[in-house]
Amino acid sequence: MTKETAPHSDHQPRFIISGGGTGGHIFPALSIANAIKERWPQAAILFVGAEDRMEMERVPAAGYEIVGLPVSGFDRKNMVKNVSVAFKLLKSLHRAKKIVKNFNPNVVIGVGGYASAPVLRAAITQNIPTLLQEQNSYAGMTNKWLGQRANTICVAYEGMEKFFPKKKIVLTGNPCRQDLEITPNKVVEACSFFSLDPTKRTILMIGGSLGARTLNNSIVRAFPEIREQEVQIIWQCGKYYYNEMKELSVAGNIPPNVKLYDFVSRMDLAYSVADLVISRAGAGSISEFSLLGKPVILVPSPNVAEDHQTQNALALVQKNAAILVADNTAEEQLFSIALSLVKNPAKLIDLSANIILHAQHNSANRIVDEIEKLATI
């Protein structure tokens, strides 16, 4: 018998968490689930995601059960493809209705992404309390639609009343990894782990777990300049690009002061030793930079809905808390800016002091506080 069809116990709180599609949605969802388990160890938690997306692997790996819906996102470029999208949505709405009815949750939590729409809609029509968690400074289409009827909306940025009813909004921040504390011991460990020189400035460049073509092209183009600098770079190129970039290493084209990785497993160590970070502008990453007070150059991805990464970045840039380099100028400008900035301690200190003002602490527990207010347990 699965959790989806398990009989309801009066003493067992029950929660559905829905959404996903990217790590930016999945990680907050898992953080919320872990915080729920801390508060109610006996709680039953069911995830609902999209059948063909990464949550179907990541969630079970974290120890939670998940069921998939055949839902997919609308194609803004090829409208003909949306015929099948609409069919999948109807099928998902029917399936979600059965899942919510059978599981009978106390609260349904949506973390964004198109997988959450059918489940939240089913909960709303069945008069089950709902909570949305919006990670970005520019709300996604799904959450904007659901927000009019959801009970509570937890956000990470101020000014979100332009998307949601003001009385429903609670500023909680985005849940972040709990192992990111920076200590002197971790700095020493990081130098050993990444084979770094502790006397040199370090740049960390991360393009997400899958990678970012623009960031990779930018560093490759800057190799001659980097080779001459007293700086070292931890470069996470992403699994999609690793074989291609590895060929450069085999050919001896990557400077010795550049450390290439497909994926950095110890981000706590990477952050500990980084004097400057180069990154896309995903909401989860920005939350981590803020908590750690890391100076950062943000290169927003142009391939996201409503260009929300640019909005995320601008929210910091307008307060002198980050540097923004546009994707279409990054290959020419990114590393000349980065190599100059990393040698400017006063500017790094200024960026660090300003970004840390945006930090929201204990976000997962604060979100669970709001869930507890909705739950009838």
Side-chain angles (χ1 to χ4, degrees):
M1 181 178 292
T2 66
K3 289 183 180 179
E4 180 186 349
T5 58
H8 195 292
S9 166
D10 290 339
H11 303 293
Q12 184 183 46
R14 305 171 71 78
F15 304 95
I16 289 178
I17 302 176
S18 184
T22 67
H25 289 128
I26 296 165
F27 185 79
L30 290 172
S31 294
I32 293 167
N34 292 339
I36 287 172
K37 276 290 190 181
E38 285 184 13
R39 190 158 306 186
W40 300 289
Q42 76 278 26
I45 299 173
L46 177 68
F47 280 78
V48 182
E51 284 179 348
D52 60 345
R53 301 306 293 255
M54 66 171 69
E55 57 263 28
M56 301 308 292
E57 294 180 5
R58 297 283 182 88
V59 170
Y64 294 100
E65 185 168 350
I66 186 168
V67 294
L69 300 177
V71 65
S72 60
F74 282 94
D75 193 317
R76 292 175 171 83
K77 297 179 180 178
N78 188 344
M79 298 305 290
V80 175
K81 291 184 179 179
N82 289 328
V83 174
S84 64
V85 171
F87 177 76
K88 290 178 180 178
L89 178 59
L90 288 172
K91 190 175 179 182
S92 296
L93 286 167
H94 178 70
R95 173 96 167 104
K97 185 177 179 181
K98 292 177 65 176
I99 291 171
V100 172
K101 184 177 180 181
N102 289 340
F103 191 77
N104 193 17
N106 296 90
V107 181
V108 173
I109 302 114
V111 295
Y114 45 76
S116 64
V119 181
L120 271 289
R121 185 180 184 276
I124 290 166
T125 58
Q126 294 177 42
N127 295 315
I128 293 169
T130 54
L131 178 142
L132 296 181
Q133 199 256 328
E134 173 57 61
Q135 294 101 32
N136 295 294
S137 64
Y138 192 96
M141 183 172 64
T142 300
N143 274 359
K144 280 191 286 186
W145 177 60
L146 293 168
Q148 302 308 310
R149 297 183 65 188
N151 296 91
T152 303
I153 303 154
C154 295
V155 301
Y157 292 86
E158 296 177 351
M160 297 301 286
E161 56 271 11
K162 59 181 174 283
F163 304 111
F164 304 118
K166 187 174 182 179
K167 64 182 180 181
K168 297 182 179 183
I169 295 173
V170 182
L171 182 64
T172 59
N174 288 321
C176 291
R177 283 172 277 200
Q178 300 301 304
D179 63 346
L180 296 181
E181 182 184 9
I182 293 176
T183 66
N185 286 342
K186 281 195 175 182
V187 174
V188 173
E189 186 180 354
C191 288
S192 174
F193 186 87
F194 296 109
S195 300
L196 298 173
D197 182 342
T199 67
K200 292 183 178 179
R201 294 277 182 176
T202 302
I203 297 173
L204 168 65
M205 187 170 78
I206 44 178
S209 58
L210 301 181
R213 168 66 69 183
T214 298
L215 299 189
N216 292 337
N217 288 347
S218 299
I219 191 171
V220 171
R221 181 168 176 161
F223 278 167
E225 188 178 2
I226 293 168
R227 193 181 295 271
E228 302 302 318
Q229 299 287 323
E230 286 295 307
V231 68
Q232 51 203 355
I233 299 172
I234 301 170
W235 172 23
Q236 179 181 283
C237 69
K239 68 176 184 179
Y240 280 0
Y241 304 103
Y242 183 68
N243 289 337
E244 177 186 348
M245 297 301 123
K246 188 69 175 175
E247 290 178 9
L248 295 174
S249 179
V250 172
N253 294 327
I254 297 181
N257 52 339
V258 174
K259 312 295 182 181
L260 173 66
Y261 298 88
D262 60 340
F263 180 75
V264 176
S265 60
R266 291 294 304 275
M267 281 303 300
D268 59 325
L269 298 184
Y271 281 141
S272 293
V273 79
D275 297 290
L276 174 67
V277 179
I278 298 171
S279 173
R280 288 304 201 188
S285 296
I286 286 177
S287 295
E288 292 180 353
F289 306 148
S290 300
L291 283 167
L292 297 172
K294 283 294 164 182
V296 61
I297 299 175
L298 298 170
V299 186
S301 171
N303 306 312
V304 295
E306 287 98 16
D307 195 27
H308 67 252
Q309 287 202 3
T310 295
Q311 302 303 317
N312 291 347
L314 287 173
L316 294 177
V317 171
Q318 289 163 359
K319 296 185 178 180
N320 193 30
I323 303 294
L324 188 154
V325 174
D327 187 87
N328 61 4
T329 65
E331 290 187 28
E332 294 79 22
Q333 298 181 0
L334 178 57
F335 270 87
S336 62
I337 293 171
L339 292 171
S340 174
L341 179 57
V342 80
K343 292 182 288 186
N344 186 342
K347 182 62 175 176
L348 293 176
I349 290 170
D350 194 31
L351 288 169
S352 177
N354 289 333
I355 197 170
I356 207 166
L357 296 175
H358 293 263
Q360 295 284 343
H361 297 274
N362 302 314
S363 294
N365 286 324
R366 289 159 65 188
I367 291 168
V368 174
D369 288 343
E370 299 304 318
I371 292 170
E372 186 169 13
K373 292 175 186 176
L374 296 175
T376 52
I377 299 171

